[in-house]
């Protein structure tokens, strides 16, 4: 008999039929004698719909009120899930985040969990109840409703699994697990049996978003092993856990593609101390998220100058250009080239730490496809390249074939 935390995402509770399907899955574990805590997200589209309603009234609604509003999405889903369990004679009780003892800081719309006191959950489990907890929400010590940032139900589940010392934490979604690449682009992509927290985080930051990154960081910090699997079939999913020695046998765990980036190049930037600081401080102040940065030292004689390139999220490109244009008189660079016809291709794997020649093989594979590399960045377990958007999918298929098969 185990204590199991199961999280069902928005698509898994998208309609009453799907909610009944969730109830049947929960009942299956419950009837084997397990204690089951279920975390649910809002039905798919509901959170977006609520945000849209508020923005119809005013563009920047008050964040406290947004939290009160958005928390209703999950509150609907927990009650319906409890009702679906009752309909098949399983005793179930729904709890809001606050009722479940989830205490957060007061940063509305992106609150952090301070602590969890799961006293009520334990009492209900002891009484033989299935406990349904609203994901994505909590309460400040002063009793204000808060939410944990988009995708925050994952965090609720991981944090509850840690607080309850659950034997099993299952994240149910609409895909079978974590794949070596997006199967819609690479038909030969393979579902991974296991992946390390760090690989999962690097894949997420390079475009393969299966789970909210903060929740994976939380799981890593507290050592919560979890499984990502589908609520629509019984296939085993992918286990996410701390890296083990044999994980390094595989050089590349996955390939990901981020088509949501744009590139800005400042030509002939004066090569002297303080310029990069000035540029990136200004971008940061404008809340533009910068990902890759490439700059070379200048070797010319005369007034030294260098080209400076960086990438930003595609929707931020115009904002970034405005910030840069405003700096031009002060810094005195040449022209600015901005393009959103790029993609970032990344290979990720803890095996890179102990294998050589990985970068060479990647670049060679791209060269054979006639793909030009515009920028390169590396970490201990990742190599990313910026390439032409038009060739991105072709490149991804070739790289997957070269490293994974
Ligand atoms: N309903 C919230 C959202 O759409 C939280 C979640 O789905 O995890 O972001
Ligand atoms: Mg979601």
């Amino acid at each position: 008999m185990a204590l199991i935390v199961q999280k069902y995402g928005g698509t898994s509770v998208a309609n009453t039929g799907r909610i009944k399907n969730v109830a049947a899955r929960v009942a299956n574990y419950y009837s084997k004698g397990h204690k089951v805590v279920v975390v649910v997200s809002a039905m798919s589209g509901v959170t977006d719909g609520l945000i849209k309603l508020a923005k119809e009234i005013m563009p920047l609604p008050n964040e406290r009120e947004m939290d009160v509003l958005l928390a209703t999405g999950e509150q609907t889903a927990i009650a319906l899930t409890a009702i679906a369990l009752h309909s098949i004679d399983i005793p179930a009780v729904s709890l809001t985040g606050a009722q479940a003892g989830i205490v957060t800081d007061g940063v509305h719309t992106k609150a952090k969990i301070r602590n969890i006191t799961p006293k009520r959950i334990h009492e209900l489990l002891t009484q033989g109840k299935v406990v349904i907890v609203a994901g994505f929400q909590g309460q400040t010590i002063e009793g204000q409703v808060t939410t944990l940032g988009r995708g925050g139900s994952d965090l609720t589940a991981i944090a509850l699994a840690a607080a309850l010392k659950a034997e099993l934490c299952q994240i149910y979604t609409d895909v079978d697990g974590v794949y070596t690449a997006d199967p819609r682009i690479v038909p030969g992509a393979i579902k991974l049996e296991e992946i390390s927290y760090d690989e999962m985080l690097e894949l997420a930051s390079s475009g393969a978003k299966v789970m909210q990154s903060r929740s994976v960081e939380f799981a890593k910090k507290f050592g919560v092993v979890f499984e990502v699997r589908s609520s629509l079939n019984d296939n085993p999913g992918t286990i996410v856990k701390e890296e083990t020695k044999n994980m390094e046998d595989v050089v590349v765990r996955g390939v990901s593609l981020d088509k949501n980036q744009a590139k800005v190049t400042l030509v002939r930037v004066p090569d002297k101390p303080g310029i990069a600081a000035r540029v990136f401080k200004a971008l940061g102040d404008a809340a533009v998220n910068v990902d890759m940065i490439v700059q070379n030292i200048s070797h010319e004689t005369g007034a030294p100058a260098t080209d400076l390139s960086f990438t930003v999220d595609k929707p931020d490109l115009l904002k970034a250009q405005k910030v840069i244009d405003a700096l031009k008189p002060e810094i005195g660079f040449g022209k600015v080239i901005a393009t959103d016809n790029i993609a970032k291709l990344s290979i990720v794997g803890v095996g890179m730490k102990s294998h050589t020649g990985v970068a060479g093989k990647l670049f060679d594979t791209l060269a054979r496809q006639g793909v030009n590399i515009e920028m390169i960045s590396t970490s201990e377990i990742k190599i990313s390249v910026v390439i032409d958007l038009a060739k991105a999918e072709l490149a991804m298929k070739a790289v997957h074939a070269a490293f994974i098969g």
Side-chain angles (χ1 to χ4, degrees), residues 7-10 40-48 51 70 73-74 135-137 147-156 212:
K7 181 255 171 177
Y8 292 91
V40 289
S41 294
M43 297 162 80
S44 65
V46 166
T47 309
D48 287 337
I51 293 172
L70 296 190
E74 271 69 15
F136 174 59
Q137 55 173 264
T147 64
L148 308 175
R150 297 307 306 269
S153 298
D154 289 333
L155 184 59
T156 304
Q212 188 208 37

Side-chain angles (χ1 to χ4, degrees), residues 167-180:
E167 273 94 355
L168 198 59
C169 179
Q170 300 173 317
I171 306 290
Y172 284 94
T173 174
D174 53 359
V175 292
D176 275 1
V178 184
Y179 278 75
T180 52

